[in-house]
């Protein structure tokens, strides 16, 4: 196991190895070490990365050497070739080999019995109270499309409280710890849901600073573990590793599928093992409605004794451009909308003719058993890499001129978190359908686009709060019927605990921030 983990650390180019270099500047290599590394790259026909080495300063040489030593050029050649030349598939029938997941592997909050949902909720809360549950947040993205250079989790979607995505999610964890403490009767500070926040190179420092400045939003800092996903070199269309500058390789994050190697290389799995974690919830930062460590989802997944479970929402219509969770050739998988023909996309469910046959839209919201994640070193090298063709600024190794291309000139290699699904037996995979308006509102676009933007995120949270109050027996009045109520996660995690407002009138827009 140890030797495999060492290989993963080297290939990921991130994690703990990446942080060590920040503490002390790297030293210029010995003549023999440099000669050996040059030969390694020459053998792989990637020695263009040394084109300007002799012209660099001592610190620049040391930095470039350190970066190149963390890359296996033969491995990069191998995965690039595999990504650019994937196995041939029969495109004659895009819908062939596809089936919805069987009933035995699915459940739906929309039509499950209330007693089943309560049973899952209670058992999930018991797991949290026993400190058996943890959360992994994928937060590597910047808010570039939102007009911000900050990590996306720092973004203020415009709520009356001014809370960022990070704060909303942190407060949901705090509330969940209290709910579990109350149910189990344990000391409040002894119920812990550790939060593992995966960042990328550009977002790690700002994320750490943001959490420090905000005192970890009331969570114990020992239970907020910030780590970094790996990176991979950018490759030219000719298969050559690109230089970003004369002394630095151009790199890019390895995709959300990089989470698996990062859990190993950053020693997150070891930390989970020490804490006795058995159940893990993983999700993306941009969903403002995410039920972090949802007890219902944890309880459902644990009851099924699966290794992976995933939440889905019902596809809006046949043309909505979303990936679908389904069976592909008898294995659980995600199939992108572009891979499904019109007839398959529009097919109706024979059991429920009013809904689509293939409707389980992927929202990147997953459960993992700890026992499965422990096996990462056994299968991570089998995950495919995907090609993203991009305009990648680079330095011309022939003349040293910086080039800013106007059209895609190279590829970035990335992995997807769902690439592991087909490796599972169906008996170890499950799917839970949830209500979109309650659990899924992604932040993808700049304000004003009208879809998946800060305004829709804000509206979805405010509308949710309004519904919760009405369900609790309160009356919500406003001049504009679209006005809602922001309810702090510290008051209610999922609509519970609002009974004191029964019969009360609340004027919207409003913020409920203090404990009731």
């Amino acid at each position: 196991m140890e030797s495999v983990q060492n290989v993963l650390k080297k290939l990921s180019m991130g994690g703990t190895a990446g942080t060590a270099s920040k503490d002390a500047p790297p030293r210029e290599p010995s003549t023999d070490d440099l000669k050996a590394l040059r030969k390694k790259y020459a053998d792989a026909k990637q020695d263009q990365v040394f084109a300007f080495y002799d012209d660099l300063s001592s610190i620049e040489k040391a930095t470039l050497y350190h970066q190149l030593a963390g890359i296996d050029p033969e491995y990069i050649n191998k995965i690039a070739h595999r990504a650019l030349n994937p196995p041939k598939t029969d495109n004659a029938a895009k819908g062939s080999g596809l089936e919805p997941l069987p009933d035995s592997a699915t459940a739906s909050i929309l039509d499950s019995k209330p007693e089943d949902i309560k049973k899952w909720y209670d058992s999930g809360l018991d797991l949290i109270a026993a400190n058996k549950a943890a959360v992994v947040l994928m937060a590597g993205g910047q808010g570039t499309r939102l007009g911000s250079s900050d990590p996306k989790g720092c973004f203020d979607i415009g709520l009356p409280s001014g809370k960022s995505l990070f704060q909303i999610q942190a407060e949901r964890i705090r509330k969940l710890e209290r709910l579990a403490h109350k149910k189990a009767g344990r000391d409040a500070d002894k119920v812990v849901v550790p939060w593992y926040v995966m960042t990328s190179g550009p977002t790690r420092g700002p994320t750490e600073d943001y959490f420090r400045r905000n005192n970890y939003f009331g969570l114990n800092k020992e239970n907020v573990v910030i780590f970094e996903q790996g990176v991979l070199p950018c490759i030219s269309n000719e298969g050559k590793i690109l230089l970003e500058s004369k002394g630095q390789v151009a790199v890019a994050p390895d995709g959300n599928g990089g989470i698996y190697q990062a859990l190993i290389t950053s020693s997150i799995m070891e930390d989970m093992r020490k804490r006795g974690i058995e159940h893990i919830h993983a999700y993306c930062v941009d969903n403002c409605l995410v039920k972090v460590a949802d007890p219902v989802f944890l309880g459902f997944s644990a009851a099924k004794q699966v290794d992976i479970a995933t939440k889905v929402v019902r596809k809006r219509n046949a043309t909505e451009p979303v990936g679908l969770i389904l069976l592909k050739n008898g294995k659980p998988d995600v199939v992108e909308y572009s891979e499904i023909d019109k007839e398959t996309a529009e097919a109706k469910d024979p059991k429920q003719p009013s809904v689509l046959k293939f409707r389980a839209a992927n929202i990147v919201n997953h459960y993992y058993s700890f026992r499965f994640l422990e096996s990462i070193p056994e299968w991570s090298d089998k995950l495919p890499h995907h090609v993203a063709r991009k305009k990648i600024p680079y330095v011309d190794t022939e003349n040293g001129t910086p080039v800013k291309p106007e059209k895609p000139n190279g590829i970035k290699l990335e992995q997807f978190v769902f690439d592991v699904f087909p490796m599972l037996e169906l008996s170890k995979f499950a799917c839970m359908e949830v209500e979109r308006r309650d659990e899924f509102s992604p932040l993808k676009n700049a304000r004003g686009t009208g879809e998946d933007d800060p305004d829709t995120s804000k509206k979805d949270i405010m509308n949710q709060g309004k519904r919760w109050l009405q369900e609790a027996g309160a009356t919500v009045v406003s001049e504009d019927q679209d006005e809602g109520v922001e309810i702090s996660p510290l008051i209610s995690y999922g609509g519970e605990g609002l009974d004191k407002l029964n019969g009360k009138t609340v004027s919207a827009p409003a913020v409920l921030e203090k404990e009731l």
Side-chain angles (χ1 to χ4, degrees):
M1 175 74 77
E2 185 61 31
S3 61
V4 175
Q5 291 185 9
N6 287 338
V7 170
L8 289 179
K9 286 188 177 185
K10 189 169 185 181
L11 297 183
S12 72
M13 298 171 59
T16 53
T19 57
S21 62
K22 297 173 186 176
D23 299 329
R27 295 183 178 182
E28 194 171 341
S30 68
T31 302
D32 288 344
D33 286 344
L34 177 60
K35 183 178 179 181
L37 191 63
R38 278 183 180 271
K39 183 178 186 305
K40 187 175 184 179
Y41 276 81
D43 290 346
K45 295 182 172 53
Q46 294 285 6
D47 50 329
Q48 76 284 348
V49 294
F50 287 98
F52 311 107
Y53 186 86
D54 294 336
D55 300 328
L56 301 176
S57 68
S58 178
I59 291 178
E60 289 171 332
K61 287 179 179 178
T63 301
L64 178 59
Y65 176 86
H66 179 77
Q67 186 185 28
L68 292 173
I71 302 171
D72 182 341
E74 284 291 359
Y75 172 76
I76 299 303
N77 287 346
K78 176 182 174 183
I79 63 174
H81 177 79
R82 193 165 63 182
L84 289 166
N85 301 277
K88 293 276 190 292
T89 56
D90 181 11
N91 291 322
K94 286 188 173 182
S96 63
L98 305 182
E99 287 294 335
L101 289 170
D103 292 345
S104 60
T106 63
S108 175
I109 294 298
L110 283 63
D111 53 26
S112 289
K113 296 176 182 178
E115 55 265 33
D116 286 338
I117 296 174
K118 185 179 186 307
K119 179 178 65 178
W120 295 328
Y121 176 84
D122 287 343
S123 63
L125 213 54
D126 287 341
L127 293 173
I128 291 168
N131 293 336
K132 299 294 185 184
V135 174
V136 176
L137 167 60
M138 291 173 273
Q142 292 174 287
T144 310
R145 280 199 233 170
L146 310 173
S148 169
S149 60
D150 292 331
K152 191 180 280 189
C154 302
F155 195 81
D156 174 359
I157 60 176
L159 291 172
S161 67
K163 291 178 182 178
S164 66
L165 294 170
F166 278 142
Q167 182 170 355
I168 294 166
Q169 293 162 24
E171 291 183 354
R172 286 182 185 143
I173 292 175
R174 287 174 60 190
K175 181 62 175 179
L176 206 49
E177 290 175 340
R178 292 179 191 174
L179 290 171
H181 146 69
K182 183 177 180 180
K183 183 175 187 297
R186 297 187 61 180
D187 293 341
D189 61 350
K190 290 184 179 178
V191 176
V192 172
V193 179
W195 197 16
Y196 300 96
V197 181
M198 186 178 79
T199 63
S200 61
T203 63
R204 180 171 187 164
T207 299
E208 290 173 332
D209 290 343
Y210 185 72
F211 272 85
R212 275 194 297 265
R213 288 198 314 271
N214 290 280
N215 197 28
Y216 298 86
F217 304 105
L219 294 167
N220 188 318
K221 68 178 182 180
E222 281 74 29
N223 298 323
V224 180
V225 183
I226 297 173
F227 66 109
E228 189 176 326
Q229 72 181 103
V231 295
L232 288 169
C234 299
I235 311 295
S236 74
N237 288 333
E238 294 70 42
K240 297 295 185 181
I241 295 173
L242 292 169
L243 290 178
E244 178 181 307
S245 66
K246 292 182 178 182
Q248 187 172 4
V249 172
V251 297
D254 53 4
N256 61 19
I259 186 175
Y260 301 117
Q261 286 192 5
L263 288 173
I264 298 293
T265 61
S266 296
S267 301
I268 300 302
M269 291 303 298
E270 184 58 33
D271 188 75
M272 288 184 183
R273 184 179 294 105
K274 290 177 181 176
R275 293 174 184 262
I277 299 299
E278 296 178 4
H279 310 276
I280 297 97
H281 177 219
Y283 68 97
C284 289
V285 73
D286 61 4
N287 179 12
C288 67
L289 293 180
V290 63
K291 287 188 171 182
V292 185
D294 177 15
V296 174
F297 190 39
L298 292 175
F300 163 78
S301 304
K304 286 280 191 183
Q305 296 185 321
V306 294
D307 284 330
I308 296 179
T310 185
K311 281 189 178 184
V312 298
V313 296
R314 190 164 293 182
K315 192 177 178 182
R316 287 193 181 108
N317 52 56
T319 58
E320 185 181 8
V322 292
L324 296 173
I325 307 281
L326 41 64
L327 282 184
K328 183 177 181 181
N329 299 321
K331 294 285 189 178
D333 209 339
V334 173
V335 176
E336 296 299 337
Y337 67 96
S338 58
E339 300 177 65
I340 298 177
D341 60 29
K342 185 173 183 290
E343 182 181 357
T344 303
E346 294 178 349
K348 298 295 185 180
D349 187 339
K351 299 176 184 176
Q352 302 180 67
S354 62
V355 299
L356 295 170
K357 178 180 180 181
F358 296 100
R359 59 183 180 273
N362 177 35
I363 59 174
V364 196
N365 192 320
H366 307 311
Y367 161 92
Y368 296 93
S369 70
F370 178 81
R371 65 175 177 263
F372 176 72
L373 293 181
E374 268 197 312
S375 70
I376 288 172
E378 299 171 16
W379 48 258
S380 63
D381 63 333
K382 298 180 179 66
L383 294 181
H385 287 79
H386 304 271
V387 170
R389 298 192 179 276
K390 300 286 186 178
K391 293 183 285 187
I392 306 169
Y394 69 101
V395 170
D396 189 323
T397 53
E398 295 294 326
N399 54 35
T401 305
V403 180
K404 195 169 184 179
E406 296 181 355
K407 60 182 181 179
N409 64 305
I411 62 171
K412 295 181 179 180
L413 296 168
E414 57 186 8
Q415 293 179 309
F416 299 150
V417 70
F418 56 74
D419 284 332
V420 71
F421 292 2
M423 294 185 182
L424 290 180
E425 295 298 324
L426 181 57
S427 62
K428 290 298 181 181
F429 185 87
C431 178
M432 172 175 276
E433 182 185 54
V434 297
E435 182 71 69
R436 185 188 291 253
R437 70 174 188 170
D438 289 333
E439 297 203 36
F440 187 55
S441 179
L443 179 60
K444 304 289 186 185
N445 304 314
R447 195 181 304 277
T449 56
E451 184 174 331
D452 297 343
D453 68 5
D455 295 330
T456 58
S457 293
K458 172 189 173 182
K459 182 179 179 181
D460 288 341
I461 284 186
M462 300 290 282
N463 284 344
Q464 183 182 66
K466 182 179 179 179
R467 290 195 305 275
W468 286 354
L469 290 179
Q470 292 169 334
E471 290 164 5
T475 300
V476 180
V477 298
S478 62
E479 294 182 4
D480 184 340
Q481 64 177 5
D482 289 334
E483 297 284 9
V485 179
E486 179 187 356
I487 298 178
S488 168
L490 297 176
I491 292 178
S492 183
Y493 175 85
E496 81 295 329
L498 301 174
D499 298 344
K500 291 182 181 178
L501 292 169
N502 185 16
K504 305 289 185 181
T505 298
V506 178
S507 296
V511 184
L512 300 186
E513 190 65 54
K514 295 183 179 179
E515 294 279 4
L516 299 175

